[in-house]
Amino acid sequence: MSIKSLKARHNDLSKPEIQLEFLNNGIFRQGELPKFKDKIAATGKFPLKPKKLEILQINVGYMCNQVCSHCHVDAGPDRKEIMTKNTMQQCLEVIKNTGAHTLDLTGGAPEMNPHFRWFVEEASKAGIKDFIVRSNLTIILANKKYHDLPEFFKKYNVHVVSSLPFYKKEKTDRQRGEGVFDKSIKALQMLNKVGYAQEGSDLKLDLVYNPAGAFLPTNQEAMEKDFKKALKEDFNIDFNNLFAITNLPISRFLEYLIASENYEDYMYALVEAYNPAAVENVMCTNTISVSWDGWLYDCDFNQMLELKVDSKVKHISEYNEDLLNDRNIVISQHCYGCTAGAGSSCQGSVA
Amino acid sequence: MPNNYYDAADLRKFGEITEWSEELGKKFFDYYGKVFEEGALSAREKSLIALAVAHVVKCPYCIDAYTKDGLQRGITKEEMMEAVHAGAAIESGATLVHGVQMMNKYKKLSM
């Protein structure tokens, strides 16, 4: 378990160009990996084009109170990148004028941005139907000033999507840090207590499962059933849906794959599980991802690899939905992660 | 030719056995796929049975495959080890139960 981000450790993998070099050219002792571009071209899907914009995903900063070993953002307490109020104002202008029905706030721990509450208040007035905040749960208990977050979320009818890689302590703590499981359980109970995922309540609480290791997620429905049974029996916790997400081979998960000598096998496992049907609904086709400094990307993963949108419009300050809808989606070898098996997106399986 | 009997990368080539006997290979994989579908037993239970049998028949490819399959299904390491012990118990029991035959034969031949 790393205690610092790749960036703070001056690890080469903190550089997007080094990650892309690994993705494209190495380490493949068992022959070169087929190109994702050729795979989708075989079914007439290249270039990949966006559909109607549905989700505006905004990363309000890479600062986080956790340092998870699989984090694709390379987030942590040492990351200082934080969206300014000025950039948030630019986002709010777009939120007011976009056709997207879902606003998805992510990080790092989005709650650690000092303007987070102001932004939630302003954005909630803009008529977005589904207003998601991706919470790591432990932030609620990290400091007294966050203890009232469940009530705050309730007040603005925020849809809380929380990471919980497993319903057992050992696996969760190994991936996300010592003590994370117990704090996550307490935070979930606090959310339940204010009404989240309770019968008759419209407050939505979804969980995100991602494998704690070099393997792919199984059937989302089966895993949801196991999570619901275990969390109810052991901790009297309720939640709405489970999103099963495949770990993408970038950033700290890439570091783990290389260090544990699982990289090549994992990449082959992704290629072997390639599902053309998943390409139809990958998240980049209905999402725009905005970085803490306002740049636009096809998805959160492209954001971390600094692969900006292929469009004249590249920044939130010059946002133009028509021009963006006309772009080609930027792809690379990491895209196998979203098209493996039942497919993977920030909303879980897609196929 | 590699100079060892087992190569982990060969597991990925398993499907290629159909190249030298398409009809039989296809029938096997159809059967195999059907066996592991949800049925009266869940796919999770079948995965644990497969893991236990993999140890009994001492198939390293199968052990790799069903350890990974178990992880993907959220099967815990304690459940996996119990399955291996169940297999081992049957395997050693199968050896020991032949001791009865040995005892019978011994008694028959002895005055």
Side-chain angles (χ1 to χ4, degrees):
Chain A
M1 177 76 199
S2 315
I3 51 161
K4 282 183 176 177
S5 67
L6 292 170
K7 195 175 178 189
R9 285 184 274 134
H10 305 291
N11 186 306
D12 270 356
L13 285 173
S14 65
K15 297 171 192 154
E17 63 273 20
I18 302 281
Q19 293 185 50
L20 286 165
E21 173 63 22
F22 261 106
L23 287 165
N24 287 311
N25 300 316
I27 311 157
F28 300 116
R29 295 183 200 94
Q30 298 157 31
E32 203 180 319
L33 208 71
K35 296 288 176 208
F36 183 74
K37 177 185 164 182
D38 297 335
K39 279 274 185 191
I40 60 169
T43 47
K45 292 283 191 299
F46 184 81
L48 194 57
K49 298 294 287 185
K51 295 184 285 196
K52 190 172 177 292
L53 181 73
E54 295 183 60
I55 303 167
L56 192 66
Q57 187 172 60
I58 300 177
N59 191 319
V60 296
Y62 301 161
M63 189 182 285
C64 191
N65 60 318
Q66 292 184 185
V67 195
C68 303
S69 54
H70 71 300
C71 182
H72 75 272
V73 180
D74 193 27
D78 56 61
R79 296 299 298 262
K80 307 299 178 203
E81 298 90 335
I82 280 289
M83 185 176 274
T84 62
K85 206 167 181 178
N86 185 42
T87 306
M88 284 180 170
Q89 289 277 18
Q90 292 170 340
C91 290
L92 285 169
E93 286 310 306
V94 170
I95 291 165
K96 284 172 195 161
N97 298 309
T98 180
H101 55 67
T102 298
L103 178 63
D104 188 346
L105 293 192
T106 185
E111 302 93 331
M112 290 179 83
N113 184 307
H115 314 299
F116 170 75
R117 293 192 192 218
W118 169 82
F119 190 51
V120 169
E121 286 163 20
E122 293 301 312
S124 72
K125 296 174 191 164
I128 290 275
K129 271 198 255 170
D130 191 8
F131 188 178
I132 296 172
V133 170
R134 294 191 181 260
S135 177
N136 70 15
L137 292 172
T138 62
I139 190 69
I140 294 173
L141 299 155
N143 185 305
K144 209 176 168 186
K145 68 180 175 181
Y146 300 122
H147 289 357
D148 68 333
L149 274 171
E151 286 86 2
F152 176 78
F153 290 150
K154 179 185 178 175
K155 184 175 174 190
Y156 293 97
N157 199 18
V158 166
H159 173 178
V160 179
V161 178
S162 297
S163 302
L164 189 72
F166 207 58
Y167 48 80
K168 298 270 184 197
K169 183 181 169 70
E170 184 201 344
K171 274 191 190 177
T172 299
D173 283 3
R174 212 168 59 224
Q175 184 182 79
R176 300 180 77 82
E178 195 61 36
V180 165
F181 183 76
D182 291 342
K183 285 180 194 156
S184 300
I185 291 298
K186 194 157 184 212
L188 287 170
Q189 288 167 335
M190 288 165 76
L191 287 162
N192 278 170
K193 200 174 171 191
V194 300
Y196 273 91
Q198 299 303 295
E199 215 175 310
S201 161
D202 59 353
L203 296 168
K204 276 176 77 181
L205 171 61
D206 293 330
L207 297 185
V208 174
Y209 159 80
N210 57 283
F215 53 93
L216 309 186
T218 188
N219 177 285
Q220 184 170 272
E221 282 175 25
M223 195 55 88
E224 181 180 291
K225 227 165 107 185
D226 291 346
F227 263 70
K228 283 199 165 160
K229 187 169 181 284
L231 290 178
K232 189 70 184 170
E233 281 177 8
D234 296 346
F235 307 104
N236 196 29
I237 284 171
D238 297 298
F239 66 95
N240 296 106
N241 301 297
L242 183 81
F243 300 154
I245 294 186
T246 302
N247 290 316
L248 261 70
I250 66 171
S251 199
R252 290 214 288 270
F253 189 65
L254 177 60
E255 182 196 30
Y256 155 76
L257 289 175
I258 294 168
S260 61
E261 297 184 355
N262 279 308
Y263 175 70
E264 185 174 15
D265 283 346
Y266 189 76
M267 292 305 289
Y268 271 105
L270 292 179
V271 172
E272 277 156 25
Y274 170 74
N275 178 2
V279 180
E280 277 302 319
N281 298 313
V282 280
M283 66 177 177
C284 52
T285 59
N286 67 355
T287 303
I288 286 285
S289 160
V290 187
S291 66
W292 66 276
D293 47 358
W295 295 104
L296 304 177
Y297 300 85
D298 297 301
C299 70
D300 207 40
F301 305 109
N302 278 7
Q303 183 183 143
M304 301 314 146
L305 292 168
E306 293 183 7
L307 299 168
K308 291 191 178 85
V309 283
D310 179 13
S311 169
K312 281 181 194 164
V313 173
K314 289 194 188 298
H315 195 268
I316 192 80
S317 57
E318 54 196 17
Y319 189 89
N320 179 313
E321 207 155 303
D322 291 338
L323 280 176
L324 282 165
N325 281 345
D326 199 33
R327 76 195 191 277
N328 293 334
I329 291 168
V330 179
I331 56 165
S332 183
Q333 297 296 78
H334 64 294
C335 301
Y336 277 119
C338 290
T339 54
S344 181
S345 77
C346 291
Q347 273 69 40
S349 298
V350 296
Chain B
M1 282 289 288
N3 60 0
N4 54 309
Y5 286 106
Y6 289 115
D7 182 344
D10 283 348
L11 177 56
R12 202 176 296 138
K13 298 178 192 163
F14 188 18
E16 292 174 16
I17 62 156
T18 53
E19 288 174 14
W20 288 8
S21 176
E22 195 179 341
E23 190 191 349
L24 292 177
K26 190 177 174 310
K27 280 185 190 297
F28 166 77
F29 283 116
D30 286 348
Y31 166 75
Y32 190 96
K34 200 78 193 161
V35 164
F36 284 98
E37 283 177 7
E38 293 275 340
L41 292 177
S42 68
R44 192 179 195 278
E45 288 164 331
K46 290 179 186 182
S47 180
L48 280 165
I49 293 171
L51 183 68
V53 174
H55 283 75
V56 173
V57 300
K58 298 175 179 61
C59 169
Y61 301 111
C62 316
I63 293 171
D64 277 6
Y66 282 94
T67 303
K68 193 179 196 178
D69 187 69
L71 275 164
Q72 290 179 177
R73 293 182 189 283
I75 295 173
T76 64
K77 60 181 195 291
E78 290 82 8
E79 290 173 304
M80 288 188 201
M81 190 54 92
E82 274 189 32
V84 171
H85 276 293
I90 293 295
E91 193 181 28
S92 57
T95 303
L96 286 172
V97 77
H98 286 81
V100 177
Q101 186 179 341
M102 177 268 288
M103 289 161 77
N104 288 344
K105 190 72 179 173
Y106 183 96
K107 286 172 190 166
K108 190 182 176 192
L109 295 175
S110 302
M111 286 180 79

